[in-house]
PDB file of all heavy atoms in Angstrom:
ATOM      1  N   SER G   1       0.848  -1.180   0.000  1.00  0.00           N
ATOM      2  CA  SER G   1       0.000   0.000   0.000  1.00  0.00           C
ATOM      3  C   SER G   1       0.888   1.237   0.000  1.00  0.00           C
ATOM      4  O   SER G   1       1.654   1.460   0.929  1.00  0.00           O
ATOM      5  CB  SER G   1      -0.907   0.006   1.230  1.00  0.00           C
ATOM      6  OG  SER G   1      -1.812   1.090   1.181  1.00  0.00           O
ATOM      7  N   SER G   2       0.797   2.010  -1.055  1.00  0.00           N
ATOM      8  CA  SER G   2       1.619   3.209  -1.208  1.00  0.00           C
ATOM      9  C   SER G   2       0.755   4.441  -0.992  1.00  0.00           C
ATOM     10  O   SER G   2      -0.347   4.542  -1.526  1.00  0.00           O
ATOM     11  CB  SER G   2       2.242   3.235  -2.608  1.00  0.00           C
ATOM     12  OG  SER G   2       2.872   4.467  -2.864  1.00  0.00           O
ATOM     13  N   SER G   3       1.250   5.365  -0.197  1.00  0.00           N
ATOM     14  CA  SER G   3       0.513   6.605   0.055  1.00  0.00           C
ATOM     15  C   SER G   3       1.502   7.750   0.214  1.00  0.00           C
ATOM     16  O   SER G   3       2.722   7.539   0.225  1.00  0.00           O
ATOM     17  CB  SER G   3      -0.366   6.481   1.302  1.00  0.00           C
ATOM     18  OG  SER G   3       0.418   6.146   2.439  1.00  0.00           O
ATOM     19  N   ALA G   4       1.008   8.949   0.358  1.00  0.00           N
ATOM     20  CA  ALA G   4       1.880  10.118   0.395  1.00  0.00           C
ATOM     21  C   ALA G   4       2.891  10.050   1.526  1.00  0.00           C
ATOM     22  O   ALA G   4       4.092  10.254   1.324  1.00  0.00           O
ATOM     23  CB  ALA G   4       1.045  11.386   0.523  1.00  0.00           C
ATOM     24  N   CYS G   5       2.411   9.742   2.748  1.00  0.00           N
ATOM     25  CA  CYS G   5       3.292   9.771   3.921  1.00  0.00           C
ATOM     26  C   CYS G   5       3.256   8.484   4.721  1.00  0.00           C
ATOM     27  O   CYS G   5       3.712   8.456   5.871  1.00  0.00           O
ATOM     28  CB  CYS G   5       2.918  10.946   4.818  1.00  0.00           C
ATOM     29  SG  CYS G   5       3.146  12.557   4.056  1.00  0.00           S
ATOM     30  N   GLY G   6       2.717   7.401   4.147  1.00  0.00           N
ATOM     31  CA  GLY G   6       2.655   6.146   4.871  1.00  0.00           C
ATOM     32  C   GLY G   6       1.362   6.012   5.647  1.00  0.00           C
ATOM     33  O   GLY G   6       0.585   6.958   5.780  1.00  0.00           O
ATOM     34  N   SER G   7       1.126   4.809   6.180  1.00  0.00           N
ATOM     35  CA  SER G   7      -0.164   4.520   6.816  1.00  0.00           C
ATOM     36  C   SER G   7      -0.201   4.859   8.290  1.00  0.00           C
ATOM     37  O   SER G   7      -1.240   4.712   8.935  1.00  0.00           O
ATOM     38  CB  SER G   7      -0.500   3.031   6.631  1.00  0.00           C
ATOM     39  OG  SER G   7       0.439   2.219   7.309  1.00  0.00           O
ATOM     40  N   ALA G   8       0.920   5.287   8.879  1.00  0.00           N
ATOM     41  CA  ALA G   8       0.940   5.638  10.293  1.00  0.00           C
ATOM     42  C   ALA G   8       1.763   6.899  10.481  1.00  0.00           C
ATOM     43  O   ALA G   8       2.653   7.205   9.694  1.00  0.00           O
ATOM     44  CB  ALA G   8       1.526   4.488  11.124  1.00  0.00           C
ATOM     45  N   GLY G   9       1.455   7.631  11.543  1.00  0.00           N
ATOM     46  CA  GLY G   9       2.191   8.855  11.829  1.00  0.00           C
ATOM     47  C   GLY G   9       1.291  10.072  11.809  1.00  0.00           C
ATOM     48  O   GLY G   9       0.141  10.014  11.337  1.00  0.00           O
ATOM     49  N   PRO G  10       1.800  11.214  12.303  1.00  0.00           N
ATOM     50  CA  PRO G  10       0.974  12.433  12.396  1.00  0.00           C
ATOM     51  C   PRO G  10       0.412  12.914  11.068  1.00  0.00           C
ATOM     52  O   PRO G  10      -0.632  13.563  11.037  1.00  0.00           O
ATOM     53  CB  PRO G  10       1.949  13.469  12.976  1.00  0.00           C
ATOM     54  CG  PRO G  10       3.022  12.678  13.639  1.00  0.00           C
ATOM     55  CD  PRO G  10       3.153  11.418  12.856  1.00  0.00           C
ATOM     56  N   GLU G  11       1.094  12.611   9.953  1.00  0.00           N
ATOM     57  CA  GLU G  11       0.643  13.093   8.648  1.00  0.00           C
ATOM     58  C   GLU G  11       0.159  11.960   7.740  1.00  0.00           C
ATOM     59  O   GLU G  11       0.146  12.094   6.522  1.00  0.00           O
ATOM     60  CB  GLU G  11       1.771  13.877   7.975  1.00  0.00           C
ATOM     61  CG  GLU G  11       2.180  15.127   8.751  1.00  0.00           C
ATOM     62  CD  GLU G  11       3.338  15.874   8.104  1.00  0.00           C
ATOM     63  OE1 GLU G  11       3.848  15.403   7.082  1.00  0.00           O
ATOM     64  OE2 GLU G  11       3.733  16.918   8.651  1.00  0.00           O
ATOM     65  N   ALA G  12      -0.262  10.867   8.352  1.00  0.00           N
ATOM     66  CA  ALA G  12      -0.672   9.705   7.561  1.00  0.00           C
ATOM     67  C   ALA G  12      -1.871  10.008   6.671  1.00  0.00           C
ATOM     68  O   ALA G  12      -2.026   9.401   5.611  1.00  0.00           O
ATOM     69  CB  ALA G  12      -0.992   8.530   8.484  1.00  0.00           C
ATOM     70  N   ARG G  13      -2.731  10.931   7.083  1.00  0.00           N
ATOM     71  CA  ARG G  13      -3.943  11.217   6.314  1.00  0.00           C
ATOM     72  C   ARG G  13      -3.729  12.282   5.247  1.00  0.00           C
ATOM     73  O   ARG G  13      -4.658  12.676   4.551  1.00  0.00           O
ATOM     74  CB  ARG G  13      -5.059  11.672   7.259  1.00  0.00           C
ATOM     75  CG  ARG G  13      -5.429  10.624   8.301  1.00  0.00           C
ATOM     76  CD  ARG G  13      -6.038   9.392   7.664  1.00  0.00           C
ATOM     77  NE  ARG G  13      -6.295   8.336   8.644  1.00  0.00           N
ATOM     78  CZ  ARG G  13      -6.846   7.161   8.354  1.00  0.00           C
ATOM     79  NH1 ARG G  13      -7.205   6.910   7.105  1.00  0.00           N
ATOM     80  NH2 ARG G  13      -7.016   6.249   9.285  1.00  0.00           N
ATOM     81  N   VAL G  14      -2.504  12.765   5.107  1.00  0.00           N
ATOM     82  CA  VAL G  14      -2.221  13.771   4.084  1.00  0.00           C
ATOM     83  C   VAL G  14      -2.454  13.187   2.693  1.00  0.00           C
ATOM     84  O   VAL G  14      -2.018  12.068   2.400  1.00  0.00           O
ATOM     85  CB  VAL G  14      -0.770  14.280   4.216  1.00  0.00           C
ATOM     86  CG1 VAL G  14      -0.372  15.082   2.991  1.00  0.00           C
ATOM     87  CG2 VAL G  14      -0.633  15.133   5.472  1.00  0.00           C
ATOM     88  N   VAL G  15      -3.148  13.916   1.851  1.00  0.00           N
ATOM     89  CA  VAL G  15      -3.382  13.506   0.463  1.00  0.00           C
ATOM     90  C   VAL G  15      -2.370  14.224  -0.412  1.00  0.00           C
ATOM     91  O   VAL G  15      -2.108  15.416  -0.226  1.00  0.00           O
ATOM     92  CB  VAL G  15      -4.814  13.846   0.025  1.00  0.00           C
ATOM     93  CG1 VAL G  15      -5.027  13.471  -1.438  1.00  0.00           C
ATOM     94  CG2 VAL G  15      -5.818  13.118   0.909  1.00  0.00           C
ATOM     95  N   GLY G  16      -1.789  13.516  -1.372  1.00  0.00           N
ATOM     96  CA  GLY G  16      -0.768  14.165  -2.185  1.00  0.00           C
ATOM     97  C   GLY G  16      -0.691  13.627  -3.596  1.00  0.00           C
ATOM     98  O   GLY G  16      -1.156  12.525  -3.886  1.00  0.00           O
ATOM     99  N   TYR G  17      -0.096  14.437  -4.454  1.00  0.00           N
ATOM    100  CA  TYR G  17       0.243  14.050  -5.817  1.00  0.00           C
ATOM    101  C   TYR G  17       1.741  14.256  -6.002  1.00  0.00           C
ATOM    102  O   TYR G  17       2.442  14.711  -5.090  1.00  0.00           O
ATOM    103  CB  TYR G  17      -0.548  14.881  -6.827  1.00  0.00           C
ATOM    104  CG  TYR G  17      -2.034  14.625  -6.793  1.00  0.00           C
ATOM    105  CD1 TYR G  17      -2.887  15.446  -6.064  1.00  0.00           C
ATOM    106  CD2 TYR G  17      -2.578  13.554  -7.487  1.00  0.00           C
ATOM    107  CE1 TYR G  17      -4.256  15.210  -6.038  1.00  0.00           C
ATOM    108  CE2 TYR G  17      -3.944  13.304  -7.475  1.00  0.00           C
ATOM    109  CZ  TYR G  17      -4.777  14.135  -6.736  1.00  0.00           C
ATOM    110  OH  TYR G  17      -6.127  13.888  -6.709  1.00  0.00           O
ATOM    111  N   ALA G  18       2.253  13.966  -7.183  1.00  0.00           N
ATOM    112  CA  ALA G  18       3.700  13.986  -7.411  1.00  0.00           C
ATOM    113  C   ALA G  18       4.380  15.279  -6.951  1.00  0.00           C
ATOM    114  O   ALA G  18       5.399  15.221  -6.258  1.00  0.00           O
ATOM    115  CB  ALA G  18       3.999  13.721  -8.891  1.00  0.00           C
ATOM    116  N   PRO G  19       3.863  16.468  -7.305  1.00  0.00           N
ATOM    117  CA  PRO G  19       4.552  17.687  -6.839  1.00  0.00           C
ATOM    118  C   PRO G  19       4.582  17.795  -5.321  1.00  0.00           C
ATOM    119  O   PRO G  19       5.536  18.317  -4.737  1.00  0.00           O
ATOM    120  CB  PRO G  19       3.722  18.815  -7.465  1.00  0.00           C
ATOM    121  CG  PRO G  19       3.025  18.180  -8.629  1.00  0.00           C
ATOM    122  CD  PRO G  19       2.728  16.781  -8.188  1.00  0.00           C
ATOM    123  N   THR G  20       3.504  17.292  -4.669  1.00  0.00           N
ATOM    124  CA  THR G  20       3.473  17.314  -3.213  1.00  0.00           C
ATOM    125  C   THR G  20       4.523  16.390  -2.631  1.00  0.00           C
ATOM    126  O   THR G  20       5.197  16.722  -1.654  1.00  0.00           O
ATOM    127  CB  THR G  20       2.084  16.867  -2.708  1.00  0.00           C
ATOM    128  OG1 THR G  20       1.091  17.283  -3.617  1.00  0.00           O
ATOM    129  CG2 THR G  20       1.799  17.426  -1.335  1.00  0.00           C
ATOM    130  N   PHE G  21       4.644  15.196  -3.227  1.00  0.00           N
ATOM    131  CA  PHE G  21       5.638  14.228  -2.746  1.00  0.00           C
ATOM    132  C   PHE G  21       7.031  14.855  -2.756  1.00  0.00           C
ATOM    133  O   PHE G  21       7.774  14.773  -1.779  1.00  0.00           O
ATOM    134  CB  PHE G  21       5.671  12.982  -3.630  1.00  0.00           C
ATOM    135  CG  PHE G  21       4.383  12.207  -3.701  1.00  0.00           C
ATOM    136  CD1 PHE G  21       4.161  11.316  -4.735  1.00  0.00           C
ATOM    137  CD2 PHE G  21       3.401  12.361  -2.733  1.00  0.00           C
ATOM    138  CE1 PHE G  21       2.982  10.593  -4.812  1.00  0.00           C
ATOM    139  CE2 PHE G  21       2.209  11.644  -2.802  1.00  0.00           C
ATOM    140  CZ  PHE G  21       2.003  10.759  -3.846  1.00  0.00           C
ATOM    141  N   SER G  22       7.381  15.471  -3.892  1.00  0.00           N
ATOM    142  CA  SER G  22       8.741  15.984  -4.019  1.00  0.00           C
ATOM    143  C   SER G  22       8.982  17.153  -3.078  1.00  0.00           C
ATOM    144  O   SER G  22      10.076  17.324  -2.534  1.00  0.00           O
ATOM    145  CB  SER G  22       9.023  16.405  -5.460  1.00  0.00           C
ATOM    146  OG  SER G  22       8.115  17.400  -5.886  1.00  0.00           O
ATOM    147  N   ALA G  23       7.949  17.978  -2.859  1.00  0.00           N
ATOM    148  CA  ALA G  23       8.109  19.093  -1.935  1.00  0.00           C
ATOM    149  C   ALA G  23       8.283  18.585  -0.504  1.00  0.00           C
ATOM    150  O   ALA G  23       9.198  19.004   0.211  1.00  0.00           O
ATOM    151  CB  ALA G  23       6.898  20.018  -2.029  1.00  0.00           C
ATOM    152  N   LEU G  24       7.415  17.677  -0.088  1.00  0.00           N
ATOM    153  CA  LEU G  24       7.499  17.120   1.265  1.00  0.00           C
ATOM    154  C   LEU G  24       8.811  16.372   1.487  1.00  0.00           C
ATOM    155  O   LEU G  24       9.356  16.361   2.589  1.00  0.00           O
ATOM    156  CB  LEU G  24       6.326  16.170   1.511  1.00  0.00           C
ATOM    157  CG  LEU G  24       4.992  16.794   1.914  1.00  0.00           C
ATOM    158  CD1 LEU G  24       3.902  15.730   1.951  1.00  0.00           C
ATOM    159  CD2 LEU G  24       5.097  17.481   3.263  1.00  0.00           C
ATOM    160  N   ALA G  25       9.318  15.738   0.438  1.00  0.00           N
ATOM    161  CA  ALA G  25      10.536  14.938   0.560  1.00  0.00           C
ATOM    162  C   ALA G  25      11.789  15.784   0.661  1.00  0.00           C
ATOM    163  O   ALA G  25      12.866  15.278   0.973  1.00  0.00           O
ATOM    164  CB  ALA G  25      10.654  13.984  -0.632  1.00  0.00           C
ATOM    165  N   GLY G  26      11.683  17.086   0.363  1.00  0.00           N
ATOM    166  CA  GLY G  26      12.850  17.953   0.427  1.00  0.00           C
ATOM    167  C   GLY G  26      13.499  18.212  -0.908  1.00  0.00           C
ATOM    168  O   GLY G  26      14.466  18.972  -1.001  1.00  0.00           O
ATOM    169  N   TRP G  27      12.965  17.592  -1.959  1.00  0.00           N
ATOM    170  CA  TRP G  27      13.541  17.783  -3.289  1.00  0.00           C
ATOM    171  C   TRP G  27      13.309  19.191  -3.818  1.00  0.00           C
ATOM    172  O   TRP G  27      14.201  19.808  -4.403  1.00  0.00           O
ATOM    173  CB  TRP G  27      12.913  16.784  -4.270  1.00  0.00           C
ATOM    174  CG  TRP G  27      13.518  15.428  -4.251  1.00  0.00           C
ATOM    175  CD1 TRP G  27      14.142  14.819  -3.197  1.00  0.00           C
ATOM    176  CD2 TRP G  27      13.539  14.506  -5.326  1.00  0.00           C
ATOM    177  NE1 TRP G  27      14.536  13.563  -3.547  1.00  0.00           N
ATOM    178  CE2 TRP G  27      14.181  13.339  -4.850  1.00  0.00           C
ATOM    179  CE3 TRP G  27      13.072  14.539  -6.625  1.00  0.00           C
ATOM    180  CZ2 TRP G  27      14.372  12.226  -5.655  1.00  0.00           C
ATOM    181  CZ3 TRP G  27      13.254  13.424  -7.429  1.00  0.00           C
ATOM    182  CH2 TRP G  27      13.908  12.287  -6.940  1.00  0.00           C
TER     183      TRP G  27
END
């Protein structure tokens, strides 16, 4: 199961798309 921030943690419910992933990841 792949999701923006994983299935557990404070931001587990965050919804994201590719630009969001790269921004959150620090890229």
Side-chain angles (χ1 to χ4, degrees):
S1 185
S2 171
S3 58
C5 297
S7 65
E11 297 178 358
R13 299 295 175 179
V14 167
V15 178
Y17 294 96
T20 327
F21 299 161
S22 59
L24 278 173
W27 277 28

